[in-house]
Amino acid sequence: MKSIKAKLLALSLVSSLALVGCNNGSDKASDEPAKGDDDTKTEEQVVLKFAAQADSTPATQALIDEFNKTNETYDVEWVEMTNDSAQMHDQLLNSLSSGSTEYDLLSLDVVWAGEFAGAGYIEPIDVLMKDAGLSKDDFNSGSMASGNYKGKQYTLPFFPDLGLLYFRKDIVSEEDAAKLESGEYTYDDLYAMAEKYNGQGGTDSGFVYQSKQYEGLTVNVTEFSKSFSDITGGLETMRKFATAPFSPKDILNYMEGETATAFTQGKAVFARNWPYQFGMIKEQGEGVTVTVDNVGIAPLPNGGSVGGWLLSINKNSENLDGAWEFIQFAAGEVGQKIMSTEGGYLPGYNALLEDEEVKAANEMLSYEGFQKALTTTIARPVSPEYSKVSDTIQIQAHKYLSSGEGLDEAAKAIEDATKTE
């Protein structure tokens, strides 16, 4: 770890201003003591700059405030970034590629980790985890896999997102519902159920999912192919669903929005989508076909692709020790509980899945199938050239799904693109 440069001590002269947090434009009062009521704090606090996206909830600021309140050496300052993922990516990349030390800590979209690790911009944390007694099994599996590049771990979860199977439990039998929620079923089983229940309860589609040529198709190929362990079989299964009599004729143009609309309006028995669809169902209120009471949630057969954000350390940070202290806190039990209870975010720290306060703040955690899904997440390809890899997957998969031709060529191209060195 690099030593703390003496010049940082000069920050003590303006600590009451430098420690101002940023959350939706709300600042600390200028006459507030640097560390609140904690008289043990000194004025020689080392400031850590945390580049993270804007947060419409109080969670991120509450997380930072609690760390600053309890840590005697380091003080985290939130550098609030845009919520435009592409713009944030480019801003971070420009900074890191120049060797800048302006950020100590970074919040990364799950698909950026391989790129930033491959370029040598972020610090590996394997040894740090071992010294701290942390195991990858303590955290969300897909998030950890997303931050693992060439056998080294570079990130811990900030908050995960994941693919799920939604189903109409007012249509599906209790026996089939239990099978789905257990996760002990296959895509062939799902096909049979979609065929069996299609048309019941006013539905006209058995199963809807994302298969347009865009990032969502990469996500679905990841899931159908079981993390690319059976690319040919996965593509064949996707084609089977795409051409099924119970599928919408324009299924190859479906994104998340079309999927959610079909399910929330009562037109589909099954739908693959993200947790946000649950919120849409809740917002519909009364007098509609689909309500929370008649919706079930299950893990996908091979696990759901993980989304969300990761915590990492700028390799050029002059305060690596402090950055690691904050990441441990933010990704650990206390930090993740703050993110969950204050912001409704899903916890990336597995022990909290059974915490009553966390469950109360996240209604979906009361669903057995959702709990199971969180423990079976998988990662999209981890690559220093993720955009190129994803483009290849999208183009090759959609070409085959559209025509039914060129399966071997598509599978080979995807295999080559996703092959790790």
Side-chain angles (χ1 to χ4, degrees):
M1 292 293 178
K2 298 178 182 178
S3 60
I4 301 168
K5 289 192 173 180
K7 66 179 182 180
L8 287 174
L9 299 181
L11 288 169
S12 62
L13 298 176
V14 290
S15 60
S16 62
L17 296 177
L19 302 183
V20 170
C22 180
N23 183 25
N24 298 327
S26 177
D27 295 328
K28 300 177 184 176
S30 60
D31 58 351
E32 181 183 0
K35 302 309 295 181
D37 296 326
D38 190 343
D39 294 332
T40 65
K41 298 291 183 178
T42 70
E43 292 186 353
E44 296 182 348
Q45 298 293 317
V46 177
V47 175
L48 305 173
K49 296 296 185 76
F50 178 32
Q53 66 276 33
D55 189 349
S56 61
T57 79
T60 300
Q61 190 62 56
L63 171 76
I64 293 170
D65 289 345
E66 184 62 23
F67 176 82
N68 290 345
K69 176 183 174 182
T70 56
N71 191 282
E72 297 183 6
T73 306
Y74 302 100
D75 213 83
V76 171
E77 190 174 283
W78 180 10
V79 181
E80 188 172 313
M81 311 291 280
T82 175
N83 274 325
D84 182 315
S85 183
Q87 186 177 334
M88 180 176 172
H89 168 273
D90 292 346
Q91 188 174 344
L92 289 178
L93 192 62
N94 288 338
S95 176
L96 296 171
S97 63
S98 70
S100 173
T101 61
E102 64 178 314
Y103 310 127
D104 298 286
L105 299 137
L106 313 165
S107 174
L108 303 180
D109 186 296
V110 292
V111 299
W112 302 347
E115 176 186 359
F116 285 27
Y121 297 151
I122 55 178
E123 181 78 7
I125 60 173
D126 302 81
V127 175
L128 299 173
M129 288 181 64
K130 182 177 180 181
D131 291 345
L134 298 177
S135 167
K136 66 178 183 178
D137 295 331
D138 295 333
F139 305 96
N140 180 272
S141 58
S143 297
M144 294 302 285
S146 296
N148 192 290
Y149 178 69
K150 291 189 174 181
K152 288 186 177 182
Q153 191 66 38
Y154 286 84
T155 66
L156 289 180
F158 193 13
F159 52 87
D161 199 3
L162 71 158
L164 303 166
L165 179 73
Y166 291 84
F167 65 92
R168 289 281 299 279
K169 67 180 182 181
D170 59 331
I171 294 176
V172 175
S173 71
E174 290 187 9
E175 181 182 1
D176 283 341
K179 185 174 184 178
L180 293 168
E181 290 170 352
S182 72
E184 299 298 323
Y185 72 103
T186 66
Y187 277 107
D188 284 340
D189 293 329
L190 179 58
Y191 186 98
M193 290 185 199
E195 192 172 45
K196 173 182 177 181
Y197 294 113
N198 183 42
Q200 296 186 28
T203 60
D204 56 23
S205 297
F207 175 59
V208 289
Y209 63 105
Q210 301 79 51
S211 53
K212 185 174 181 176
Q213 187 178 314
Y214 79 116
E215 180 62 22
L217 182 54
T218 296
V219 168
N220 278 263
V221 173
T222 301
E223 293 165 351
F224 274 91
S225 69
K226 202 171 184 177
S227 297
F228 305 96
S229 63
D230 182 10
I231 299 171
T232 298
L235 291 176
E236 287 180 317
T237 301
M238 292 183 76
R239 170 74 179 167
K240 181 180 177 182
F241 275 101
T243 57
F246 56 71
S247 291
K249 292 183 179 179
D250 59 344
I251 188 68
L252 294 184
N253 287 319
Y254 266 48
M255 299 171 68
E256 285 87 354
E258 289 79 7
T259 303
T261 297
F263 189 81
T264 59
Q265 292 185 356
K267 299 301 182 181
V269 183
F270 299 97
R272 181 264 173 231
N273 218 333
W274 303 94
Y276 88 94
Q277 182 174 284
F278 187 80
M280 292 180 63
I281 296 167
K282 287 185 65 178
E283 291 172 3
Q284 292 192 133
E286 300 178 355
V288 294
T289 302
V290 180
T291 66
V292 170
D293 291 338
N294 56 27
V295 170
I297 299 171
L300 290 159
N302 299 327
S305 293
V306 79
W309 295 76
L310 307 170
L311 296 163
S312 63
I313 302 173
N314 178 1
K315 189 156 189 166
N316 288 320
S317 169
E318 297 173 338
N319 304 294
L320 294 176
D321 288 320
W324 173 238
E325 281 196 36
F326 178 71
I327 283 189
Q328 284 186 87
F329 176 84
E333 185 171 2
V334 175
Q336 288 292 286
K337 188 166 184 176
I338 291 172
M339 293 298 292
S340 295
T341 57
E342 295 288 338
Y345 293 104
L346 297 173
Y349 187 73
N350 290 333
L352 290 176
L353 296 178
E354 299 299 332
D355 184 280
E356 292 304 321
E357 291 182 64
V358 171
K359 290 167 74 173
N362 296 268
E363 185 177 348
M364 295 182 77
L365 289 173
S366 65
Y367 287 70
E368 179 185 345
F370 185 72
Q371 286 264 359
K372 180 70 174 179
L374 270 171
T375 65
T376 58
T377 54
I378 57 178
R380 279 169 273 178
V382 179
S383 169
E385 296 185 313
Y386 179 79
S387 294
K388 290 183 179 180
V389 172
S390 182
D391 284 347
T392 298
I393 294 168
Q394 296 169 36
I395 292 169
Q396 294 296 329
H398 201 268
K399 183 178 179 181
Y400 166 68
L401 294 176
S402 301
S403 66
E405 299 177 356
L407 174 61
D408 291 341
E409 292 84 352
K412 180 64 165 59
I414 293 172
E415 180 182 11
D416 290 344
T418 57
K419 192 178 297 180
T420 56
E421 296 178 10

